């Protein structure tokens, strides 16, 4: 099967949602690439965009993934910026 790899992205550049157990990254189509942490642990490295045909290869070291059960949460706090009008 030919893969339509748009780019290779370091996992540190992705956002981790600890509630959904998913990493995501913005897609040029306006949606976002997604891959579940369990898929990464199972050796999968391709994140897909549900809205288009693009895929990215996730570059990561399995030892750096958050541990099952929330032991090693690596989610970085996200800065929220609110615009006032």
């Amino acid at each position: 099967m030919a893969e339509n790899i748009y780019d290779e992205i370091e996992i540190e550049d992705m956002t981790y949602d600890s509630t959904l157990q998913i990493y995501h990254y913005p897609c040029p189509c306006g949606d976002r690439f997604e891959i579940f942490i369990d898929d990464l642990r199972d050796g999968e490295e391709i994140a897909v965009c549900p809205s288009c045909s693009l895929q990215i290869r996730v570059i990561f070291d399995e030892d750096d993934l958050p541990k099952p059960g929330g032991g090693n949460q690596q989610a970085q706090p996200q800065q929220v910026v609110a615009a006032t009008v």
Side-chain angles (χ1 to χ4, degrees), residues 74-85:
Q74 289 187 340
Q76 298 294 324
Q78 299 298 313
Q79 182 179 13
V80 177
V81 179
T84 57
V85 182

Side-chain angles (χ1 to χ4, degrees), residues 20-53:
L20 298 176
Q21 299 285 296
I22 194 169
Y23 279 92
H24 54 87
Y25 187 80
C27 180
C29 79
D31 204 346
R32 61 187 184 185
F33 299 101
E34 299 178 334
I35 189 165
F36 285 97
I37 193 164
D38 287 340
D39 293 335
L40 292 167
R41 288 188 185 115
D42 289 340
E44 181 62 53
E45 60 183 19
I46 304 299
V48 298
C49 176
S51 297
C52 72
S53 63

